[in-house]
Amino acid sequence: METGIAQKVLAGDVLAASRLMRGLEDEDANAIEQLKTLYPHTGKAYIVGVTGSPGAGKSSIIGCLIGIFRRRGLKVGVVAIDPTSPFTHGAILGDRIRMQQYNIDNDVFIRSLATRGWSGGLSKATISTIHVMDAMGKDIILVETVGAGQAEVDIVRVADTAIVVLTPGMGDEIQMMKAGIMEIADIFVVNKADIAGAEELKEELKVMISMKPHLPGQWQPSVALTEAVCDRGTEELATEILKHKEFLGTSGDMTEKRRARAKLELIDAIESSLMNYIYRNIDKGDYLEGLIEDLTRRATDPYSAAQRIITQLSQQLEPGYDAVTNSSGKPADRNK
Amino acid sequence: MAEKKIRILLAQFPLENHNRGLIAVAGLLRDAGMEVILLGNAVSNRIIDTAIQEDVDVVGISTYCGGELALGKELMKVAEKKGIKDRTAFVLGGIFPPSDAPKLEAIGFSGTFPPSASREEIIAGVKAAAAAKK
Ligand SMILES: Nc1nc2c(ncn2[C@@H]2O[C@H](COP(=O)(O)OP(=O)(O)O)[C@@H](O)[C@H]2O)c(=O)[nH]1
Ligand SMILES: [Mg+2]
């Protein structure tokens, strides 16, 4: 990857931006350098997470919102995430099919991402794609994920506005509850208003919300009714999103959300650097192979083996460190 | 370092009304480990715009209705104008007169697949097209 890409991205070069996203997804070292340059220029975009079961209408709704936000003068980014097949490692990313209503212009940028097997925390590719769009000057970034799995819940949790899309008669609420997603919604959307049971679902959700204790000064989740295929109810949804944005701004919750996002991202960066470091060090020669051999013969157990590796690796950083107790061996040190 | 995945965009020109071929090809490329972005029916402008935003290695066009030569030319013109001709490969599959294959290649499609193309031929063709642009 060539250098100077960051400058091009800041100047609005879409070719450079998409190439950078690609580099970041493929974990290209130079791409990460470019992202460092861009980072100070990020943090301006408003991030909206949209989650819900497959087929609920997330992409259709986003397709409508793109046009609405453009008409209100906002520059729009979209990150649409679909699962990678665990068997073939390939993926079909089909969200764009339902996002074609808007007119092509330079102020809409859509990127499809496959999950590529991430398990927890923020997907690095997701957050770095968001950063690039942010640096490009997008005002609002909509992130679509299926509401299953920790990583997907996390990305919605750290969005500024979290939207959960439900449809009548699917029993989605139960699935969403299991995934812990009902708790994080700032706005519920009942989509497919044309289908029987939509009004009832909306009322059920309102009851559910009203049963939760509500502290003064706290955002009360709202429920929107949409028919995305006809662009119905979507203006109201867009207005509700902007209302939530304003609420976060005045209540100070925006700062909280941004801190949470920064924290997750930092922890993610630490974990991945640390894992790279650890693997580089234990993967020397046939050390790892030998350990696996020992484990298979039951000559040791994984817990002792892992603790021994970490104790050894950490000696330089903290003499006396012991992974079994996760502390420095000397009691005197611990009181410092 | 994560492995470099092949990303391919699959699209059809506006008047095409059969998408079964496109869906089948999407499935077999996914099974070959690629990331397949589906666009469906779209005009050249939108196809190229999407190829840029998704930074795909390959754009695959599925065609059954004819007119692929004229539309293909227009697609290439837009690709040229928007500056992705040297970073993105183009392939085309479906029903077209066999005599059009060399013409399609001459205007910039690095692979053409008639309905008789096997699964292996399609996968190998897409891989070769992608490799030529890296
Ligand atoms: N009847 C009805 N169908 C809808 C509505 N919104 C979306 N759909 C359809 O539901 C299907 C899934 O929509 P999609 O947006 O791809 O859902 P996603 O998987 O959540 O992104 C598509 O066939 C849409 O046309 C709606 O309001 N009413
Ligand atoms: Mg979708």
Side-chain angles (χ1 to χ4, degrees):
Chain A
M1 174 163 296
E2 59 177 298
T3 52
I5 285 201
Q7 270 60 42
K8 288 188 182 167
V9 172
L10 290 171
D13 182 335
V14 284
L15 287 166
S18 67
R19 180 67 22 130
L20 177 57
M21 290 173 186
R22 183 74 187 272
L24 289 165
E25 207 183 357
D26 291 338
E27 293 178 40
D28 177 283
N30 181 254
I32 293 164
E33 288 308 306
Q34 302 294 319
L35 186 56
K36 290 181 189 172
T37 312
L38 286 184
Y39 197 79
H41 302 275
T42 65
K44 300 184 193 95
Y46 192 76
I47 298 169
V48 179
V50 181
T51 193
S53 305
K58 301 177 291 297
S59 302
S60 309
I61 290 169
I62 289 174
C64 298
L65 290 176
I66 294 171
I68 295 168
F69 286 132
R70 282 300 299 129
R71 285 195 291 280
R72 297 189 189 188
L74 300 176
K75 297 177 179 165
V76 185
V78 175
V79 185
I81 306 163
D82 274 315
T84 291
S85 154
F87 304 107
T88 64
H89 305 291
I92 292 184
L93 312 172
D95 296 314
R96 274 194 177 260
I97 298 177
R98 310 257 171 241
M99 297 182 185
Q100 297 211 47
Q101 309 91 319
Y102 73 95
N103 296 319
I104 300 176
D105 73 53
N106 267 335
D107 294 322
V108 179
F109 195 110
I110 303 176
R111 182 75 170 197
S112 310
L113 289 180
T115 52
R116 294 196 184 176
W118 37 274
S119 52
L122 293 184
S123 150
K124 259 187 295 180
T126 307
I127 199 79
S128 47
T129 303
I130 291 173
H131 285 325
V132 178
M133 289 185 183
D134 194 342
M136 286 169 84
K138 296 292 172 265
D139 300 300
I140 191 160
I141 300 171
L142 307 159
V143 185
E144 171 179 342
T145 70
V146 171
Q150 192 55 45
E152 314 208 13
V153 177
D154 278 346
I155 186 68
V156 178
R157 197 196 308 280
V158 298
D160 296 312
T161 297
I163 296 182
V164 173
V165 182
L166 302 162
T167 48
M170 298 263 294
D172 287 352
E173 313 91 89
I174 312 293
Q175 290 310 315
M176 296 287 134
M177 246 175 232
K178 280 193 213 156
I181 280 184
M182 294 302 261
E183 291 81 354
I184 61 171
D186 297 305
I187 302 172
F188 288 98
V189 175
V190 175
N191 188 39
K192 310 202 183 181
D194 50 315
I195 288 180
E199 280 292 342
E200 289 83 342
L201 179 55
K202 182 180 170 185
E203 292 313 312
E204 274 172 41
L205 287 167
K206 281 190 165 167
V207 170
M208 187 198 82
I209 292 164
S210 68
M211 285 184 338
K212 290 251 172 75
H214 178 244
L215 304 172
Q218 217 181 34
W219 174 259
Q220 177 94 324
S222 51
V223 188
L225 192 60
T226 61
E227 189 181 341
V229 276
C230 302
D231 211 351
R232 278 208 194 111
T234 39
E235 282 286 347
E236 291 79 359
L237 174 59
T239 302
E240 192 63 21
I241 293 170
L242 296 179
K243 199 172 125 193
H244 183 235
K245 175 173 189 257
E246 206 175 295
F247 173 88
L248 290 182
T250 49
S251 69
D253 287 356
M254 183 88 86
T255 323
E256 272 313 303
K257 293 237 179 192
R258 304 267 155 137
R259 281 182 62 93
R261 204 148 71 217
K263 183 179 170 187
L264 263 176
E265 209 181 338
L266 175 62
I267 289 173
D268 209 59
I270 294 173
E271 281 180 357
S272 78
S273 297
L274 201 57
M275 291 318 286
N276 285 344
Y277 173 75
I278 290 173
Y279 283 122
R280 188 175 69 97
N281 280 284
I282 60 174
D283 224 0
K284 283 180 186 152
D286 48 10
Y287 181 66
L288 207 54
E289 280 306 312
L291 266 184
I292 293 166
E293 200 56 39
D294 288 349
L295 285 175
T296 320
R297 289 187 293 111
R298 295 295 187 271
T300 183
D301 63 88
Y303 319 103
S304 312
Q307 287 168 342
R308 210 158 57 235
I309 290 170
I310 300 304
T311 299
Q312 268 172 26
L313 282 178
S314 60
Q315 287 302 322
Q316 283 171 317
L317 280 177
E318 186 182 349
Y321 176 83
D322 183 352
V324 180
T325 58
N326 189 23
S327 64
S328 170
K330 287 165 282 178
D333 275 355
R334 239 178 280 169
N335 296 333
K336 266 206 278 204
Chain B
M1 174 111 187
E3 73 182 291
K4 281 239 171 9
K5 281 241 177 264
I6 293 180
R7 282 168 68 87
I8 177 167
L9 172 69
L10 294 184
Q12 296 176 296
F13 292 123
L15 296 177
E16 299 282 345
N17 49 14
H18 287 285
N19 64 4
R20 237 176 288 150
L22 188 106
I23 303 291
V25 170
L28 77 87
L29 295 176
R30 188 261 322 266
D31 292 345
M34 300 182 197
E35 289 178 356
V36 184
I37 293 131
L38 293 181
L39 183 59
N41 296 81
V43 297
S44 293
N45 238 337
R46 198 179 284 268
I47 295 174
I48 298 302
D49 225 56
T50 304
I52 292 173
Q53 294 181 359
E54 299 286 358
D55 192 12
V56 289
D57 303 292
V58 183
V59 172
I61 301 293
S62 161
T63 178
Y64 293 89
C65 290
E68 79 292 335
L69 206 51
L71 290 163
K73 263 187 202 147
E74 188 200 57
L75 185 71
M76 293 301 169
K77 214 188 290 166
V78 181
E80 179 93 60
K81 196 181 86 196
K82 297 209 177 185
I84 59 162
K85 263 232 125 145
D86 48 348
R87 83 174 199 185
T88 312
F90 291 81
V91 299
L92 180 143
I95 298 174
F96 51 90
S99 58
D100 275 358
K103 295 179 199 158
L104 286 163
E105 273 165 43
I107 62 170
F109 286 95
S110 48
T112 53
F113 308 102
S116 61
S118 71
R119 185 194 150 80
E120 286 70 28
E121 281 165 346
I122 294 174
I123 294 169
V126 169
K127 282 186 177 164
K133 294 288 176 178
K134 283 264 160 84

